[in-house]
């Protein structure tokens, strides 16, 4: 029986490359000359550090563009509020992986509401969708990618025929 998994994950190596590229871009930009600004990746968190909060916003745009260029969906970014001190401004961006229970239930609810002849079941941090026809499964993929789908960075893997 054909099936596939719905997951929300990103390649950690690509995230490392994106942060390195963002650091290089910030160091070479004219508006950041002489400014102590940097990105630091620790696990699933990217720490931004600059002198003022306006620079943090610019750095956030650079990071978003670099992640997209490396194939990482920008919707996985969970941006926290900037922390402003007298000398430095800091901000943390968490790169979210995995579907939590509420998000997985929402995906299953959307699949069931489509009235397609498929079954969806939650398996940890992913949702397995099975059906008799490959076309039904591809219709579900199209539904979740469309505007009516959830606002989540979803990937479809482990497609079995």
């Amino acid at each position: 029986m054909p099936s596939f998994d719905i997951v929300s994950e990103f390649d950690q190596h690509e995230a490392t490359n994106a942060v390195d590229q963002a650091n290089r871009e910030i160091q070479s930009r004219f508006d950041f000359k002489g400014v102590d600004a940097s990105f630091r990746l620790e696990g699933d968190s990217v720490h931004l550090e600059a002198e003022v909060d306006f620079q943090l916003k610019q750095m956030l745009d650079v990071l978003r563009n670099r992640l997209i260029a490396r194939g990482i969906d920008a919707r996985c970014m969970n941006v926290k509020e900037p922390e402003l001190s007298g000398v430095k401004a800091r901000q943390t961006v968490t790169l979210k992986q995995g579907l939590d229970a509420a998000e997985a239930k929402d995906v299953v609810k959307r699949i069931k509401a489509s009235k397609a002849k498929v079954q969806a079941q939650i398996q940890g941090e992913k949702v397995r969708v099975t059906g008799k026809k490959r076309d039904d499964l591809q219709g579900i993929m199209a539904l979740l990618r469309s505007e009516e789908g959830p606002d989540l960075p979803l990937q479809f893997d482990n497609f079995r025929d």
Side-chain angles (χ1 to χ4, degrees):
M1 216 154 146
S3 68
F4 69 92
D5 294 333
I6 302 170
V7 295
S8 179
E9 54 191 29
F10 62 90
D11 186 3
Q12 187 68 35
H13 186 69
E14 291 296 333
T16 304
N17 290 339
V19 170
D20 290 342
Q21 285 179 343
N23 264 325
R24 274 186 256 129
E25 183 175 335
I26 290 296
Q27 290 170 358
S28 66
R29 278 181 52 162
F30 177 75
D31 53 344
F32 279 89
K33 290 286 185 207
V35 175
D36 185 27
S38 66
F39 296 93
R40 194 175 71 250
L41 180 68
E42 291 180 1
D44 288 343
S45 297
V46 181
H47 301 283
L48 288 69
E49 191 170 298
E51 292 177 358
V52 292
D53 62 336
F54 176 74
Q55 293 170 342
L56 286 178
K57 291 176 185 169
Q58 291 178 322
M59 290 173 66
L60 196 58
D61 287 339
V62 169
L63 178 64
R64 183 175 288 115
N65 291 337
R66 291 293 132 215
L67 287 172
I68 291 170
R70 301 301 298 186
I72 298 174
D73 196 334
R75 292 179 290 184
C76 74
M77 293 174 55
N78 183 11
V79 181
K80 298 205 169 73
E81 289 296 316
E83 303 167 12
L84 305 173
S85 65
V87 182
K88 289 283 182 186
R90 293 181 183 90
Q91 190 168 20
T92 302
V93 176
T94 305
L95 300 176
K96 186 176 164 296
Q97 272 197 150
L99 293 172
D100 63 11
E103 292 168 341
K105 285 180 184 178
D106 181 47
V107 169
V108 170
K109 185 176 81 172
R110 288 174 191 266
I111 292 171
K112 289 186 179 186
S114 73
K115 303 289 186 194
K117 295 183 180 179
V118 296
Q119 294 81 39
Q121 51 189 204
I122 300 171
Q123 296 180 340
E125 291 190 340
K126 62 183 177 181
V127 177
R128 165 91 27 106
V129 180
T130 57
K132 290 187 178 183
K133 294 182 182 175
R134 179 181 203 176
D135 292 341
D136 293 338
L137 297 180
Q138 290 173 338
I140 294 298
M141 287 181 189
L143 169 79
L144 293 175
R145 284 188 187 123
S146 72
E147 294 294 321
E148 293 84 38
D151 190 29
L152 298 170
L154 298 177
Q155 293 86 34
F156 309 103
D157 67 350
N158 203 14
F159 192 93
R160 306 264 167 113
D161 213 4

